[in-house]
Amino acid sequence: QRLLCIRHTTKLFQNLYIIGPNKRNSRLESSKEYAKTVMAKYQIPTASYQSFTSDQITEAHKYLDNTSSSTHTPLPVLKADGLAGGKGVYLPESIEEAHSQLDRLLEDHASVLIEKRLEGREISLFAVCDGSQKAAECLLVTLLIRLGFLDPKDEELSLIHI
């Protein structure tokens, strides 16, 4: 992940073919804040959130309390912005744990996102294709149909052809 983000793969692995996004597109994985910005720009549905830096710690704790004030509302998700080696997302089980984790994340990372916790199914899709957008669209649509997210009889799906 880190090597793709700083784009050192060609220098370190000159005799190997490395599959991965370019440096710009790697930011979608390496920066939660950037990914949220891209999702907003292209109107991709995502959970509501607020981002905080270490100098906004008081505001971050107040926001955490406000978003967790109802006993019927699940506690939010805490996400470190930037590379965290798979250890940057936390699902606290108590408000005390959430505050403690928020403090730790803000000590170790430039910024932290406090995001609404969503319930339900989630999928991640990674596809390798020949560069044709049509091939990637067909793969995604096929997967979404098989998982029950899309109806195969939907007339809009007929717009996608190989």
Side-chain angles (χ1 to χ4, degrees), residues 35-47:
K36 289 287 194 176
T37 302
V38 169
M39 287 184 266
K41 178 179 178 180
Y42 293 103
Q43 300 176 339
I44 298 169
T46 185

Side-chain angles (χ1 to χ4, degrees), residues 126-137:
F126 297 92
V128 178
C129 66
D130 64 358
S132 163
Q133 184 175 354
K134 298 291 184 193
E137 287 174 354

Side-chain angles (χ1 to χ4, degrees), residues 24-158:
R24 187 179 119 234
N25 292 333
S26 295
R27 287 186 63 205
L28 289 170
E29 183 63 29
S30 66
S31 171
K32 308 289 188 270
E33 183 78 38
Y34 176 73
K36 289 287 194 176
T37 302
V38 169
M39 287 184 266
K41 178 179 178 180
Y42 293 103
Q43 300 176 339
I44 298 169
T46 185
S48 59
Y49 78 100
Q50 187 70 40
S51 180
F52 298 94
T53 59
S54 58
D55 59 338
Q56 298 173 304
I57 194 161
T58 303
E59 294 91 342
H61 283 285
K62 285 180 185 176
Y63 182 84
L64 184 57
D65 283 332
N66 290 338
T67 58
S68 307
S69 59
S70 170
T71 57
H72 302 294
T73 305
L75 289 166
V77 178
L78 304 176
K79 295 183 175 183
D81 188 39
L83 294 173
K87 297 178 178 8
V89 176
Y90 293 92
L91 304 167
E93 294 183 21
S94 70
I95 190 66
E96 295 79 19
E97 181 185 353
H99 283 290
S100 175
Q101 199 58 260
L102 178 61
D103 285 335
R104 274 185 247 134
L105 286 171
L106 285 171
E107 285 176 16
D108 297 338
H109 301 278
S111 65
V112 172
L113 280 70
I114 301 176
E115 181 181 89
K116 179 180 180 180
R117 189 181 299 198
L118 300 178
E119 308 272 333
R121 298 189 298 180
E122 176 182 340
I123 63 167
S124 295
L125 174 69
F126 297 92
V128 178
C129 66
D130 64 358
S132 163
Q133 184 175 354
K134 298 291 184 193
E137 287 174 354
C138 283
L139 177 63
L140 177 59
V141 168
T142 301
L143 178 65
L144 292 174
I145 288 170
R146 288 184 184 261
L147 292 173
F149 287 100
L150 290 177
D151 181 354
K153 297 176 185 157
D154 187 339
E155 291 181 20
E156 289 185 29
L157 296 180
S158 65

